[in-house]
Amino acid sequence: MVSDRRVGYLEELEHELDTRGLVARVVRTRSGPAFLRVVNPEAASLAEDVTCAPAPESHDHYFWWSWGERMHRVDDPEGAAVKLAHVLQAYRRETRTLEHHGVDTRGRGVQGREAHAPMTARQRPPGHR
């Protein structure tokens, strides 16, 4: 059955995503095709619904993003999981802020100095801007 084959592909992707720390579950609906709900547990607002269907020009099945763009072929669930993990990774504001202030987040300043985070207003001595 075509539907069972698609669900099988989604379940393989579910397993790959679970090993990467993402929460993924196949959802079966009464009125539409099954899909895979994927959530980043560290930032629940980062989520994606993945479907599985053949490409219009062939009978080859692919995973599809929720907005209808082809994501990845079904015979490589690991590759699809890598793409999803990348898209659903949490934005690290602290890291971006440090880099903006010239701090190499690997532990050195831009010119090889030890990294120090910029002082907050509360940490600054009185009269220091």
Side-chain angles (χ1 to χ4, degrees):
M1 192 181 255
V2 172
S3 178
D4 289 340
R5 189 165 92 194
R6 292 179 190 178
V7 168
Y9 292 138
L10 292 171
E11 288 172 342
E12 289 176 21
L13 180 55
E14 175 184 12
H15 173 73
E16 286 294 330
L17 292 165
D18 285 344
T19 64
R20 286 170 172 72
L22 295 171
V23 176
R25 298 296 171 255
V26 174
V27 178
R28 299 170 196 237
T29 66
R30 291 181 188 200
S31 60
F35 63 92
L36 185 65
R37 178 74 171 162
V38 186
V39 178
N40 180 337
E42 294 179 11
S45 63
L46 296 174
E48 178 62 25
D49 293 338
V50 177
T51 57
C52 177
E57 70 278 359
S58 73
H59 294 289
D60 296 332
H61 281 73
Y62 290 87
F63 295 116
W64 296 81
W65 295 105
S66 59
W67 57 88
E69 184 178 326
R70 189 180 330 184
M71 179 201 328
H72 205 80
R73 58 186 202 275
V74 295
D75 66 346
D76 182 20
E78 185 177 349
V82 168
K83 287 181 180 180
L84 278 158
H86 177 75
V87 167
L88 298 180
Q89 69 185 353
Y91 176 74
R92 303 268 188 238
R93 181 184 172 125
E94 179 179 313
T95 300
R96 299 282 298 189
T97 300
L98 291 173
E99 289 170 350
H100 175 75
H101 289 286
V103 175
D104 180 345
T105 57
R106 293 171 291 181
R108 296 180 311 277
V110 171
Q111 298 166 339
R113 299 182 310 267
E114 286 301 311
H116 296 285
M119 283 194 254
T120 64
R122 200 175 265 171
Q123 294 170 321
R124 291 185 189 117
H128 187 276
R129 291 181 190 229

